[in-house]
């Protein structure tokens, strides 16, 4: 059976899922199909409909290759999208403002911002004719981007300009701004006069929105109030206490439906969001809540005045509302039903664990440095946030029926998933641990129990009930029954694994040991000692009675389950081995290290077959599909990488290349035998055969065949460079100096004529000169000797003639 197993030789990156939003500005295209997000000094444009597609990067990204304009080094502080969606203006660290064409991703205009310090806010006017910029220097500047000139500087704001909005009626020539003094200022940007001041908030104003008739203004702030202003009189009409710090407010358009309820015309409905992590819609004139979100996927801020929702975006064309969370998630809701239309995970922080589950491993569970874990549909990479834990989720496990998660909140949770609806619901909770639960494992065959280990050094076995309370109330959830508990190790336990037959348990700890336990009564079966540092993970072989352990001592060890002896130790990583998985029916391993390297091992030969280097830091998580054609890796660099087995493709490719090579070599031999030397020269260069090329050149010289310079001149630049390398190689041997010097002479004339562009010319000349000088010196000595012989002969000729006459 093992003979039929195809061993893996090569894995390649199929997809690389990086962060596309790490905090800052988010803008929505008018058609609702794309989002522009700030990402570590760059602007990423991502497709809302297809998250599996790679984000398009434009703007300045420090990680990209420097270009001629130096844009790559100049990170973006903030940006704004034009109302028409055709242009983006970005503010940069250098103080420059750049206007980009969204379609081509190219800079069309560029000018200096003139602010004394960073630019914090940008905004387009209603007709996209003007751009406003606000900075840390308290000033607001108005720009004509086409002329790249400042048409006005507005002063009066206090502190950093944190809010910048043009009046929607362009004829008024008004712009509003807010800073740190809880006031909203309005200027006429043509006359540069401060025309209005709205004073009513007690803390920083975070957002403003105009009513549909432009007569009223709604503002929100961190003083936990919404204020309705009469725009003309600057008086507050209504002040509504909302009992939460607000970050965003949007006045909803007339006639739309929210959660099935049609909004009345003539009324002012404002949607607001903040630290509670949910959206509320207020009718401002009657100070009544008409809608309060019940299906929010954003966790409430842990601290009073903290951040949960940082921004809201309304797309009128698609009638959708998007919220941006402090965890860098973007959640899009359909306004009419308020169902979640799309979830986008902009930044996963540190990826701690990965699991695959569902039919054909369709779903990927990801535990990140967050209270919520993420589940991706691998066919579309559509994301769903799963809420429930109150602290960081540390570990995940799954079988055909359930998912299991553990957290720093000292609990484990059992989840049931519906593959058709892409729904995941918590059905039970276990609360017996007294410290963070670091690892969990679900039984694969029976599905009747699970195991967990914690920093409290306890190993627990839990019974999974047959029936669960059908409730969404946290207090009514079914409690998992802890059937067995054992104080398993002397230090923190890092991992637990259940054997394929559900009879044994293995644990690994910081105390440098791994232990084997009987599932039925948690009696100790054996102890594995040999690692010099803490053990990060344990795995049972899918076929043999073997246990694998990997540790911080950079080694991987294979142990016999029958006599507890170490069968093999694999060493190749230069830092801690954090995770290992079996492949090819236990004949191979894939390991992940703290140095960001993945290694593919053959257990039989104890050799590393391939090293994969795409991660930039620790790789905490690995999961392999059932057919082993794909595996996923994730770590502290926030990258999720999908690797594909391309062993068969590589073998087929090599076979095809070898077949083509043999055919070309046969053709080359035929051409040489037929004395078609100049045609053979081109083919020999194509095959990169220095010896055959030398034979052909020597044959051309011997046959005194004409046309060698013309043939070389007709060669492509790559072929000429190959011929130059061959000639330099021949030039090192005095026997081959004649063909070498002939070819070098022709190629150097080509270089001087500009017909041959060679890379690293100095390097090639440096390699050729010493041998050429040696050949020249030798030929000079030969010439001297030849002249001496000629002279000797000439001197001997008169004597020879006399001798002939005498005879």
């Amino acid at each position: 059976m093992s003979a039929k197993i195809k061993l893996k030789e090569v894995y390649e990156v199929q997809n690389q899922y990086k962060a596309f939003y790490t905090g800052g500005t988010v803008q929505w295209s008018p058609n609702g199909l794309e989002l522009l997000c700030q990402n570590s000094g760059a602007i990423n444009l991502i497709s809302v409909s297809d998250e599996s597609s790679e984000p398009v990067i434009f703007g300045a990204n420090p990680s990209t290759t420097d270009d001629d304009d130096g844009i790559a080094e100049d990170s973006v502080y903030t940006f704004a999208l034009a109302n028409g969606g055709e242009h983006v203006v970005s503010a940069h660290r250098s103080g420059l403002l750049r206007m980009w064409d969204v379609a081509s991703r190219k800079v069309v205009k560029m000018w200096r911002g003139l602010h004394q310090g960073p630019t914090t806010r940008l905004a387009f006017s209603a007709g996209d004719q003007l751009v406003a910029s606000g900075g840390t220097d308290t000033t607001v500047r108005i720009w004509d981007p086409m002329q790249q000139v400042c048409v006005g500087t507005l002063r009066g704001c206090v502190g950093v300009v944190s809010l910048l909005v043009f009046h929607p009626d362009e004829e008024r020539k008004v712009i509003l701004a807010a800073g740190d003094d809880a006031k909203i200022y309005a200027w006429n940007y043509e006359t540069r006069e401060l025309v209005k001041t709205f004073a009513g908030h007690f803390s920083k104003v975070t957002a403003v929105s105009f009513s549909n008739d432009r007569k009223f203004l709604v503002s929100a702030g961190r003083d936990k109030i919404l204020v309705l202003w009469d725009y003309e009189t600057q008086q507050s009409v209504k002040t509504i206490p909302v009992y939460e710090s607000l970050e965003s407010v949007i006045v909803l358009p007339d006639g739309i439906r929210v959660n099935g309820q049609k909004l009345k015309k003539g009324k002012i409905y404002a949607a607001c969001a903040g630290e509670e992590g949910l959206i509320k819609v207020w009718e401002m004139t009657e100070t009544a809540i008409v809608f309060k979100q019940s299906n929010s996927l954003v966790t409430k801020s842990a601290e009073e005045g903290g951040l949960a929702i940082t921004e809201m975006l309304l797309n009128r064309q698609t009638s959708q509302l998007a919220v941006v969370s402090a965890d860098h998630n973007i959640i899009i809701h359909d306004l009419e039903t308020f169902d979640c239309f799309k979830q986008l995970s902009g930044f996963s922080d540190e990826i701690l664990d990965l699991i695959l589950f569902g039919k054909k491993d369709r779903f990927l569970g990801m535990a990140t440095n967050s209270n919520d874990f993420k589940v991706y549909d691998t066919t579309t990479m559509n994301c769903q946030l799963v809420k429930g834990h109150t602290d960081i989720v540390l570990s995940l496990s799954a079988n055909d029926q359930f998912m299991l998660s553990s957290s720093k909140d000292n609990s484990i949770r059992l989840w049931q998933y519906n593959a058709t609806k892409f729904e995941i619901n918590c059905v039970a909770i276990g609360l017996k641990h007294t410290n963070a639960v670091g690892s969990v494992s679900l039984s694969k065959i029976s599905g009747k129990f699970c195991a967990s280990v914690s920093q409290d050094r306890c190993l627990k076995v839990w019974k999974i009930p047959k029936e669960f309370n059908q409730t969404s109330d946290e207090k009514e959830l079914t409690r998992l029954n802890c059937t067995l508990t054992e104080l398993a190790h002397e230090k923190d336990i890092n991992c637990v694994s259940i054997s394929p037959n559900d009879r044994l348990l293995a644990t690994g700890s910081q105390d440098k040991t791994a232990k084997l336990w009987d599932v039925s009564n948690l009696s100790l079966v054996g102890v594995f000692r040999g690692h010099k540092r803490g053990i990060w993970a344990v795995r049972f072989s899918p076929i043999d009675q073997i246990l694998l352990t990997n540790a911080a001592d950079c080694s991987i060890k294979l142990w016999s389950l029958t006599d507890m002896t170490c069968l093999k130790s694999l060493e190749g990583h230069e830092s801690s081995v954090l995770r290992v998985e079996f492949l090819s029916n236990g004949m191979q391993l894939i390991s992940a290290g703290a140095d960001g390297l993945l290694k593919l091992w053959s257990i039989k030969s104890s050799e590393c077959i391939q090293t994969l280097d795409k991660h930039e830091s620790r790789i905490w998580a690995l999961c392999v599909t059932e057919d082993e054609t794909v595996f996923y890796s994730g770590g502290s660099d926030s990258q999720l990488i999908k690797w594909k087995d391309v062993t068969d493709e590589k073998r087929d490719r090599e076979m095809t290349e070898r077949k083509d090579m043999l055919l070309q070599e046969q053709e080359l031999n035929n051409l040489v035998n037929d004395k078609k030397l100049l045609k053979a020269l081109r083919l020999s260069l194509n095959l990169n055969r220095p010896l055959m090329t030398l034979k052909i050149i020597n044959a051309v010289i011997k046959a005194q065949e004409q046309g060698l310079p013309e043939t070389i001149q007709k060669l492509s630049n790559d072929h000429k460079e190959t011929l130059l390398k061959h000639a330099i190689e021949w030039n090192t041997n005095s026997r081959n100096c004649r063909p070498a010097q002939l070819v070098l002479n022709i190629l150097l004339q080509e270089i001087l004529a500009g017909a041959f562009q060679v890379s690293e010319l100095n390097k090639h000349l440096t390699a050729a000169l010493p041998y050429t000088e040696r050949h020249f010196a030798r030929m000079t000595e030969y010439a001297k000797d030849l002249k001496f012989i000629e002279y000797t002969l000439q001197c001997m000729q008169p004597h020879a003639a006399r001798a002939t006459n005498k005879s």
Side-chain angles (χ1 to χ4, degrees), residues 461 484 503-505 516-525:
V461 175
L484 297 166
R503 293 181 181 177
L504 296 171
L505 273 171
L516 194 65
W517 309 86
D518 190 320
V519 167
S520 59
N521 55 11
L522 278 193
S523 60
L524 184 63
V525 178

Side-chain angles (χ1 to χ4, degrees), residues 90-115:
S90 56
H92 296 259
R93 184 174 61 183
S94 62
L96 293 175
L97 298 177
R98 292 189 175 97
M99 178 177 278
W100 304 79
D101 179 74
V102 174
S104 65
R105 328 290 186 223
K106 292 183 178 178
V107 178
V108 291
K109 300 289 180 183
M110 182 167 59
W111 66 97
R112 187 157 293 283
L114 303 179
H115 286 283

Side-chain angles (χ1 to χ4, degrees), residues 519-786:
V519 167
S520 59
N521 55 11
L522 278 193
S523 60
L524 184 63
V525 178
V527 181
F528 304 94
R529 293 185 175 90
H531 282 291
K532 297 176 181 178
R533 299 187 71 179
I535 295 172
W536 282 114
V538 290
R539 285 289 180 271
F540 287 94
S541 170
I543 299 295
D544 303 313
Q545 291 190 5
I546 289 175
L547 182 73
L548 177 148
T549 59
N550 55 273
D553 60 5
C554 313
S555 70
I556 304 165
K557 292 184 184 292
L558 298 170
W559 308 83
S560 169
L561 295 180
T562 54
D563 56 9
M564 312 302 162
T565 57
C566 181
L567 302 174
K568 192 162 284 194
S569 184
L570 306 177
E571 295 182 358
H573 283 279
E574 295 182 358
S575 57
S576 297
V577 186
L578 302 177
R579 193 72 174 263
V580 183
E581 295 289 346
F582 278 99
L583 295 172
S584 309
N585 274 8
M587 297 174 68
Q588 289 183 290
L589 302 173
I590 187 78
S591 62
D595 52 5
L597 297 179
L598 291 157
K599 289 183 181 288
L600 178 65
W601 301 83
S602 168
I603 292 178
K604 185 177 180 180
S605 63
S606 303
E607 290 181 355
C608 175
I609 300 169
Q610 187 187 15
T611 299
L612 306 169
D613 184 9
K614 281 292 178 182
H615 284 281
E616 297 167 6
S617 189
R618 294 182 182 87
I619 305 171
W620 289 113
L622 277 180
C623 63
V624 185
T625 56
E626 196 172 345
D627 60 7
E628 297 182 350
T629 56
V630 167
F631 76 87
Y632 294 86
S633 61
S636 57
D637 59 357
S638 309
Q639 287 190 79
L640 172 67
I641 300 180
K642 182 180 181 181
W643 304 85
K644 186 180 179 183
D645 175 24
V646 292
T647 305
D648 290 339
E649 290 89 331
K650 182 196 172 191
R651 287 172 181 166
D652 293 343
R653 190 167 58 246
E654 288 177 349
M655 190 71 72
T656 304
E657 288 174 357
R658 181 171 175 77
K659 193 183 295 182
D660 293 342
M661 188 74 73
L662 290 171
L663 289 172
Q664 288 182 351
E665 286 182 350
Q666 184 62 49
E667 185 183 354
L668 177 61
N669 290 328
N670 292 341
L671 289 171
V672 172
N673 291 333
D674 295 342
K675 304 298 182 183
K676 295 179 180 178
L677 300 175
L678 297 179
K679 284 186 178 180
L681 175 63
R682 192 186 301 270
L683 188 55
S684 178
L685 291 171
N686 198 41
L687 292 171
N688 195 18
R689 295 283 188 270
L691 184 59
M692 182 59 75
T693 308
L694 176 62
K695 288 179 180 178
I696 293 168
I697 297 291
N698 280 327
V700 170
I701 295 171
K702 188 175 181 180
Q704 295 184 347
E705 189 171 339
Q706 300 298 315
L708 180 62
E710 291 79 5
T711 302
I712 292 176
Q713 287 167 10
K714 291 176 183 177
L715 293 174
S716 68
N717 203 78
D718 290 341
H719 281 161
K720 286 178 183 177
E721 191 156 351
T722 303
L723 184 58
L724 176 63
K725 291 176 182 175
H726 289 180
I728 291 170
E729 188 177 333
W730 308 334
N731 199 44
T732 59
N733 192 323
S734 59
R735 288 180 298 177
N736 304 324
C737 68
R738 186 181 179 190
Q741 290 299 317
L742 176 63
V743 169
L744 285 172
N745 182 43
I746 297 170
L747 290 175
L748 287 171
Q749 287 179 14
E750 286 286 287
I751 292 171
L752 292 171
F756 176 28
Q757 303 293 327
V758 59
S759 60
E760 299 181 329
L761 179 60
N762 289 339
K763 180 181 175 182
H764 293 312
L765 291 177
T766 304
L769 273 173
Y771 293 99
T772 301
E773 288 173 353
R774 193 179 302 171
H775 299 326
F776 180 74
R778 188 175 63 255
M779 295 305 292
T780 303
E781 291 298 321
Y782 286 159
K784 286 181 182 178
D785 292 343
L786 184 60

Side-chain angles (χ1 to χ4, degrees), residues 209 248-253 269-272 312-314 316 321-322:
S209 183
S248 185
V249 65
I250 296 173
V251 173
L252 300 177
Y269 295 92
C272 63
M312 275 195 308
L313 304 166
L314 174 67
R316 296 172 185 267
L321 190 68

Side-chain angles (χ1 to χ4, degrees), residues 5 33 52 86 123 176 233 235 391 393 412 458 552 651 654 709:
I5 298 168
L33 299 177
S52 63
E86 296 175 355
L176 285 77
T233 64
Q235 299 298 314
D391 208 335
V393 177
I412 65 171
C458 285
R651 287 172 181 166
E654 288 177 349

